[in-house]
Amino acid sequence: MLISLINLSYLIGAVAFVWGLRLLSSPDTARRGNILASIGMGIAILATLVAPISGGDNNYLWILIGLVVGGGIGWVAAKRIAMTAMPQMVSVFNGLGGACATVLALAELFKYYDGTMTMGLGQLGIVLFTLLIGAVSFTGSMLAFGKLDGRIKDKHVILPGHTIINIILLVVVLALAVWLMIQGSAAGTGLMVVFLVASLLYGFSFVAPIGGADMPVVISLLNSFTGLSAAAAGLIYGNQIMLVGGILVGAAGTILTVLMCDAMNRSLLNVIIGGFGSAGGGSKGESGDQVAKEATVTDASIQLFYANSVMFVPGYGLAVAQAQKALKELDDLLEGNNVDVKYAIHPVAGRMPGHMNVLLAEADVPYPKLLDLEDANAALKDTDTVVIVGANDVVNPAALDDPGSPIYGMPVLEVWNAKNIIVLKRSMSPGYAGIQNPLFFHEKNRMLFGDAKDSIQKLVQEVKNM
Amino acid sequence: MDTVLQFFNEQLIMIYLLIFTIILGFEVISKVPTVLHTPLMSGANAVSGVVIIGAILLIRQADSGDVLQLGLGTLGVILGMTNVIGGFAVTDRMLEMFKKKKK
C-alpha cells in the first residue's frame, strides 16, 4: 500500500515538473508554473523521506541537518541577493546541483571499491558519467560566477593554446573513464580521485576561454549539463522522477543554448572553441582617422524631448552602471510629454539569457514595451531617436557589411535606420568582444560620454527643466 | 557487449522514459519568449535540484556508523536543498517583478 502511494507521489511530482515548465514558458502563467514545479519537488522529497527502504538505519537526523542547512542557505541567498546580481546567483545554484550529483557518484564508487556493493559495467559507466558531468558543471558554473561577478577577468584564466589544452584534458578525462571501466573494482579509490580532479579541472578549463558576449551560451549549456547529471543520477538509483526532472532541465538548457547560438549566428562548437575577441585581427579596423561626434547633454535632451518616438537599446553597460531606474525615470518623463518610448532587446544583450528583461523589470518597465530583435528592427525605421545605453556589439553594423569582422553574420539591431542615434558610453574603447564599432562614426550618431547612470540623470534634469 | 545488452534489458523502462522525456521536454518548452529566458533557466535550474532525492536515499540506506557515506549524503542534501530552495525562491522573486508591471 505504502509503496503504491510513494510511486503515485513520484508520478504526481513528475507531472508537476512537466506542467510547471510548460507554464513557465508563457508570461501570464509563468509564476504559477514555478510554484507548481516547487510543489512537485516538495511532494517528491516527502515521498522519498517516508518510502520503505531495504537495509540502512534511516539516519533522519543527518537528513534533517542537511535540509535545514541547505534550505536556510538557499532561502537567505535568494532573498538577499540584489536583482542585478541574478546571473551570478543562478550560476552558483546551478553549480551546486552538479556538485550534488558528483557527491552521489562518489558515494556509490566508495561502496563499489570497498566491496560492499557490486556494479555491472553499464552501471559503472553511468556512475562515472554522473561524476564527470556533475563535476564539469560545478567548476564551470563557479568560474562563470567569478566572471559574471567581475572577480575573474577572462585574461587571468586563458592560457596560450587553450583550445589544445582543453582537447588534451578532455582526452585524459575520457581515457581515465575507460581505464576505470576496464579495471572494474580493482581500480581503487586512488584512481577515482585522479578522475575526479581531472573532471573538476576540465570543467574550469572548459569555461575559461569563453567570455563576454558568449556568457549567455555557456550559462545555458552548464544548465543543461546539471540536468543531465541529475538524470544520470536518476539512472543510478533507478528513480523515475530524478530522470524526468533531469531530462527536462537538460532539454530547457539545450533549447536556450540553441536560441543563444542562433542569436549570434554561430555554432556551439565555435562558441566553445572561443576566441571571440582574439579573432578580430582580420577586421578592417578603420577607426584610425575617423572622429566620432560628441553631443552635449542639452543637445541630447532636446532630441529626446521633441521626438515622437524614442527607442532605448540596453546592453551589459546598463547593468554595470545600475542605470535601469534612472532610465525608467527618463522614460516616464518622456511618456508624460507624449513621446512613444520602447526598448529594443537583443537576445544576447547582457550576460545571461533574458538579462535585460530582468533588469528592466526590476525598474518597473512594463514588459509589452520591450521589443525583441525582429519587432525592434521593424519599428526602428519609424523611430526618431535611438539611445544606446551600454550596448555595443549588438548594434555593430560590421556584422552586416564587414566579412572580416568576427561578428559578421550575427543578427544585430539596425539602429542606423532611425533618424538620430545617441550612444551613451564611458569612452571610445571597443566592446566586450574587443571589436571596433563603426556605428560610433556614423553620420547620424552623437556620443554622450560618461557613466551611463550619471548621463541619464543629467538628461532627466534637462528634460524636467524644459 | 553482453553486459551492456544485459544492462539495456534490465533498464528498459528507464530507457523508454528517458527517450520520451527528451521528446516531451523539447515539445513542451520549445517556444519561449525572450522575457522568460532567465526565469525559465532559473526555474529549470531549481528542478535539477531533484538530485537531492538521491542524496536522501543515500543517507537512509547507510548504516548509522558509516560516517563516510553519511557525510557525503549530508553534503549532497545541503547542496541539493540550496539548489532547490534558492532556485525556486529566486525565480519567484523574478516573476513577481514581471507580474507587477502588467497594465
Side-chain angles (χ1 to χ4, degrees):
Chain A
M1 181 60 196
L2 183 59
I3 190 82
S4 328
L5 262 176
I6 301 299
N7 283 333
L8 184 64
S9 306
Y10 279 153
L11 181 63
I12 293 170
V15 172
F17 285 169
V18 176
W19 206 253
L21 284 178
R22 184 195 161 91
L23 295 180
L24 250 177
S25 36
S26 162
D28 293 332
T29 54
R31 200 168 177 202
R32 255 185 291 152
N34 184 54
I35 291 169
L36 183 61
S38 68
I39 291 172
M41 184 70 77
I43 293 173
I45 290 176
L46 280 179
T48 311
L49 286 172
V50 298
I53 51 161
S54 53
D57 295 332
N58 276 326
N59 307 302
Y60 279 122
L61 185 62
W62 292 81
I63 299 178
L64 188 68
I65 292 171
L67 291 177
V68 170
V69 173
I73 298 172
W75 184 258
V76 171
K79 291 288 160 184
R80 289 255 176 98
I81 190 80
M83 262 307 159
T84 42
M86 203 54 74
Q88 294 92 302
M89 193 80 258
V90 173
S91 219
V92 169
F93 287 147
N94 188 50
L96 297 185
C100 183
T102 296
V103 167
L104 293 184
L106 282 177
E108 292 297 300
L109 287 172
F110 274 118
K111 281 190 270 185
Y112 178 58
Y113 290 130
D114 72 16
T116 47
M117 195 184 74
T118 55
M119 268 193 247
L121 199 58
Q123 183 82 356
L124 180 59
I126 288 174
V127 173
L128 294 175
F129 177 76
T130 308
L131 192 159
L132 166 64
I133 201 137
V136 169
S137 166
F138 173 61
T139 47
S141 298
M142 289 304 145
L143 178 57
F145 158 75
K147 286 188 175 196
L148 290 168
D149 209 38
R151 289 161 200 256
I152 299 169
K153 298 271 176 290
D154 290 343
K155 60 176 186 287
H156 296 160
V157 285
I158 302 181
L159 303 167
H162 207 115
T163 309
I164 312 273
I165 293 173
N166 273 346
I167 291 169
I168 293 171
L169 259 175
L170 182 61
V171 170
V172 168
V173 167
L174 293 179
L176 276 168
V178 171
W179 184 243
L180 280 164
M181 287 184 69
I182 293 171
Q183 291 279 301
S185 56
T189 47
L191 201 55
M192 175 192 81
V193 172
V194 175
F195 180 60
L196 172 68
V197 172
S199 302
L200 290 169
L201 206 60
Y202 178 65
F204 187 90
S205 185
F206 167 75
V207 174
I210 311 174
D214 289 340
M215 279 324 269
V217 180
V218 79
I219 300 259
S220 343
L221 189 64
L222 289 169
N223 202 20
S224 84
F225 281 178
T226 309
L228 282 183
S229 69
L235 283 178
I236 297 178
Y237 285 87
N239 184 293
Q240 298 88 349
I241 194 168
M242 286 168 76
L243 183 75
V244 170
I247 292 293
L248 287 173
V249 179
T254 308
I255 289 168
L256 283 176
T257 309
V258 170
L259 279 174
M260 295 300 117
C261 285
D262 285 354
M264 298 195 296
N265 193 30
R266 295 168 71 209
S267 71
L268 182 57
L269 189 67
N270 186 282
V271 172
I272 291 171
I273 290 173
F276 201 44
S278 57
S283 178
K284 281 188 269 179
E286 50 185 340
S287 58
D289 48 351
Q290 283 178 302
V291 183
K293 280 163 277 187
E294 206 174 326
T296 65
V297 173
T298 317
D299 301 339
S301 46
I302 288 171
Q303 268 189 9
L304 291 172
F305 191 75
Y306 293 104
N308 288 317
S309 55
V310 167
M311 180 94 72
F312 291 124
V313 181
Y316 186 53
L318 182 78
V320 174
Q322 296 286 300
Q324 65 275 20
K325 295 217 163 84
L327 191 62
K328 165 68 173 157
E329 199 184 347
L330 184 59
D331 172 352
D332 287 342
L333 277 173
L334 294 173
E335 284 279 359
N337 196 46
N338 292 323
V339 182
D340 180 32
V341 180
K342 290 277 192 299
Y343 296 76
I345 312 292
H346 192 282
V348 293
R351 291 292 174 267
M352 71 173 168
H355 193 173
M356 292 301 118
N357 300 79
V358 176
L359 208 59
L360 292 170
E362 193 210 357
D364 284 345
V365 177
Y367 69 77
K369 290 182 84 161
L370 312 184
L371 306 183
D372 63 18
L373 185 64
E374 259 173 47
D375 292 344
N377 273 337
L380 276 165
K381 296 183 184 76
D382 306 313
T383 300
D384 290 330
T385 304
V386 173
V387 184
I388 294 161
V389 191
N392 191 342
D393 299 323
V394 298
V395 292
N396 193 336
L400 296 185
D401 57 21
D402 179 3
S405 171
I407 58 167
Y408 182 67
M410 167 172 151
V412 289
L413 289 161
E414 294 163 13
V415 291
W416 50 90
N417 289 332
K419 293 198 185 73
N420 302 292
I421 308 167
I422 302 169
V423 172
L424 303 187
K425 212 171 177 314
R426 264 175 198 282
S427 67
M428 283 304 288
S429 66
Y432 206 108
I435 308 157
Q436 191 55 259
N437 192 341
L439 180 76
F440 301 155
F441 311 107
H442 197 280
E443 56 187 17
K444 286 178 183 172
N445 182 46
R446 297 289 180 276
M447 308 294 295
L448 184 56
F449 290 115
D451 173 71
K453 188 174 179 181
D454 194 44
S455 297
I456 294 169
Q457 280 167 345
K458 282 181 189 156
L459 286 172
V460 167
Q461 277 311 316
E462 278 293 314
V463 172
K464 268 186 188 163
N465 294 337
M466 281 184 188
Chain B
M1 192 64 203
D2 279 351
T3 47
V4 174
L5 283 179
Q6 190 197 340
F7 179 76
F8 180 79
N9 287 327
E10 282 168 1
Q11 299 279 343
L12 197 57
I13 298 290
M14 288 299 266
I15 292 166
Y16 266 91
L17 190 61
L18 176 83
I19 292 167
F20 287 141
T21 311
I22 293 173
I23 298 169
L24 181 70
F26 279 93
E27 282 300 316
V28 165
I29 310 167
S30 62
K31 288 183 209 79
V32 208
T34 318
V35 62
L36 286 176
H37 281 173
T38 303
L40 176 72
M41 186 176 72
S42 115
N45 181 12
V47 170
S48 71
V50 73
V51 69
I52 192 180
I53 284 173
I56 294 175
L57 288 174
L58 174 69
I59 297 181
R60 290 191 63 201
Q61 286 165 357
D63 291 333
S64 57
D66 192 345
V67 179
L68 175 66
Q69 292 288 322
L70 288 174
L72 285 172
T74 307
L75 179 61
V77 172
I78 293 174
L79 293 167
M81 196 63 177
T82 310
N83 186 192
V84 167
I85 298 289
F88 281 125
V90 127
T91 312
D92 192 62
R93 242 183 96 186
M94 245 183 270
L95 290 170
E96 188 184 9
M97 272 173 0
F98 285 142
K99 193 125 197 178
K100 252 186 341 209
K101 256 108 286 143
K102 277 185 68 183
K103 280 177 182 168

